[in-house]
Amino acid sequence: MKTLFVTGGAGFIGSEFIRQAVRRYRIVNYDKLTYAGNLDNLASVADNPNYALVKGDVCDAKAVAAAIPENCDAVVHFAAESHVDRSILSAEEFVLTNVLGTQVMLDVARHRKAKRFLHISTDEVGGDMRPDEWFSEDAPLKPNSPYAASKTAAEHFVRAAARTFGLDIVITRTSNNYGPYQFPEKLLPLAISNAMEDRPIPVYGDGMQVRDWVHVADNCRALLAVLEGGRSGETYHIGGGAPMANIDVLHLLLKILDKPETLLTSVTDRLGHDRRYAVDFRKTTKELGWRPEIPFDKGLRSTVEWYRDNAEWVRRCRSGEYRTYYEHMYGEREATAKRI
Ligand code: NAD
Ligand code: DAU
């Protein structure tokens, strides 16, 4: 069985990736467990003999080198600060984790002879798209937020490692993910959990910003396809194929929840807010046969169901209780890569 060294696997997308991949791979999940790292997300695999957790920072080269198995089949690098609004409040942590942390991961992957490096990037590196424009893999990068700038810088270091040192890299750029286990600071989980409690839903500016929503399960199927079949040095886009204005998404959500539109509350716009993302993922379909399978209205309904059925998960997120899971479960006998 092949071994993957996954960074940031306790987050929203990384945990879905692990839940899918653990059926076929041994996985070492290396995660700092910041506020976004939630071990509740991985409860279903915690005791799987193919899974191990190592708590650590991607900026800490010694700790990464100690945790990564020699000759592992791939590094799958999710770890990042991921929330745009936080990057506007303070960008420092974004530069450290997203840029320095990526360079550290590239160095260690090379020295420890990892066979492949899958770097998880974002459609935000392309910046605003005009109404008729679609972001293709070879388009120029024009990031507008500190978050997007840090992810763009990271991509450049990944490509540089391929060119300079011959590292086998592949890059994915995904549009907005949604689905179970997303931290309730991002639009959809925030709107779902607020609406369920009849609390206001903040709409930034005029709500006409367009995002292309892809279900996290579809995204992770694409990541596995790129990992296993992507050509070395290439970038692959992943999207949902149906960009929508935020206000239309929220109207649909309120309809599903049978809640009044009066919950929608206009608030000051995000600084530098990108108006439209639209990712062109035809290359991924053509080369790897992947396409999104979950239509947005169906995926949104099942996501709402999940949040309804998992009110305890949301409560633990909001109260901060989820952050005690690590000490509670692992305590002194810290799980290490040695388990597998
Ligand atoms: P997330 O914020 O839910 O999770 C991030 C994870 O990284 C957490 O488990 C956190 O503890 C860990 N982490 C943060 N800093 C770390 C550090 N210094 N060392 C080790 N671990 C650290 O993020 P997400 O939404 O799951 O996104 C995962 C990746 O996908 C990110 O690289 C993000 O830029 C990218 N991405 C996300 C989306 C989206 O819609 N969520 C879309 C495109 C790309
Ligand atoms: O496009 C991919 C990106 O999608 C990822 O790279 C990021 O990691 C991820 O956070 C996400 O970024 P966005 O800024 O698009 O997602 P967010 O959920 O924060 O916001 C989605 C849209 O909704 C955006 O136009 C801002 C708006 N918004 C957001 C929040 C939190 C609101 O109107 N109200 C809100 O309360």
Side-chain angles (χ1 to χ4, degrees):
M1 199 179 243
K2 292 184 171 177
T3 302
L4 304 180
F5 189 76
V6 174
T7 70
F12 164 50
I13 305 176
S15 64
E16 169 66 22
F17 179 85
I18 290 176
R19 290 191 299 274
Q20 287 192 21
V22 78
R23 299 170 202 153
R24 293 193 269 137
Y25 291 96
R26 285 195 195 94
I27 291 175
V28 179
N29 175 19
Y30 184 85
D31 197 302
K32 184 178 174 183
L33 300 179
T34 68
Y35 82 93
N38 184 346
L39 292 178
D40 288 352
N41 301 357
L42 290 163
S44 65
V45 301
D47 294 324
N48 190 313
N50 291 333
Y51 169 78
L53 170 74
V54 182
K55 185 179 177 187
D57 189 336
V58 290
C59 297
D60 182 345
K62 273 193 185 152
V64 180
I68 192 169
E70 180 95 24
N71 292 314
C72 76
D73 291 281
V75 170
V76 183
H77 182 42
F78 290 98
E81 287 293 332
S82 70
H83 192 40
V84 174
D85 292 330
R86 287 179 188 257
S87 79
I88 294 168
L89 287 174
S90 170
E92 197 175 316
E93 217 40 57
F94 288 73
V95 177
L96 286 174
T97 291
N98 300 3
V99 187
L100 176 64
T102 298
Q103 179 57 38
V104 166
M105 288 308 305
L106 290 163
D107 285 339
V108 177
R110 178 162 58 92
H111 293 306
R112 302 282 286 157
K113 300 187 171 49
K115 297 190 183 102
R116 174 155 262 207
F117 193 100
L118 169 57
H119 178 70
I120 312 299
S121 190
T122 168
D123 65 351
E124 298 206 9
V125 298
D128 277 323
M129 295 290 117
R130 290 187 307 272
D132 56 347
E133 196 184 8
W134 291 80
F135 180 41
S136 64
E137 283 85 350
D138 52 6
L141 305 187
K142 298 175 294 176
N144 291 320
S145 70
Y147 161 72
S150 70
K151 294 294 289 185
T152 306
E155 278 199 28
H156 289 315
F157 280 101
V158 175
R159 250 185 302 276
R163 169 72 178 252
T164 309
F165 302 110
L167 198 68
D168 176 353
I169 64 105
V170 264
I171 296 174
T172 55
R173 296 192 192 124
T174 316
S175 62
N176 285 63
N177 280 229
Y178 72 99
Y181 299 102
Q182 188 169 25
F183 195 77
E185 65 180 353
K186 307 278 167 72
L187 177 66
L188 276 175
L190 179 81
I192 294 170
S193 42
N194 277 15
M196 280 177 173
E197 295 171 11
D198 296 308
R199 298 206 298 196
I201 299 171
V203 180
Y204 293 174
D206 62 5
M208 292 306 290
Q209 306 83 4
V210 171
R211 297 291 183 269
D212 178 11
W213 298 93
V214 62
H215 194 281
V216 66
D218 272 339
N219 176 33
C220 290
R221 279 193 309 104
L223 299 180
L224 281 163
V226 172
L227 177 70
E228 291 162 358
R231 285 183 294 129
S232 186
E234 292 291 315
T235 297
Y236 292 91
H237 283 181
I238 301 165
M244 273 176 88
N246 291 340
I247 197 73
D248 295 332
V249 169
L250 293 173
H251 282 142
L252 177 61
L253 176 67
L254 290 174
K255 208 169 144 208
I256 292 171
L257 282 162
D258 196 21
K259 293 286 182 180
E261 299 200 347
T262 48
L263 289 180
L264 300 179
T265 307
S266 184
V267 299
T268 310
D269 206 355
R270 173 184 279 174
L271 293 176
H273 202 166
D274 279 335
R275 290 297 284 180
R276 176 174 178 267
Y277 299 139
V279 71
D280 174 357
F281 55 85
R282 285 175 298 178
K283 171 180 168 183
T284 310
T285 303
K286 190 167 169 233
E287 286 192 20
L288 303 171
W290 174 88
R291 54 174 55 78
E293 285 175 2
I294 305 173
F296 184 62
D297 56 342
K298 206 170 152 221
L300 188 57
R301 270 173 210 283
S302 64
T303 302
V304 165
E305 284 307 309
W306 187 89
Y307 280 86
R308 219 177 237 146
D309 295 344
N310 290 275
E312 178 62 6
W313 181 89
V314 177
R315 191 195 64 73
R316 281 169 59 81
C317 274
R318 288 195 151 159
S319 69
E321 270 171 66
Y322 71 101
R323 300 206 71 178
T324 61
Y325 186 112
Y326 181 79
E327 283 73 21
H328 184 69
M329 288 299 287
Y330 294 92
E332 289 303 301
R333 59 168 191 94
E334 195 158 298
T336 70
K338 285 186 207 103
R339 265 183 59 189
I340 59 170

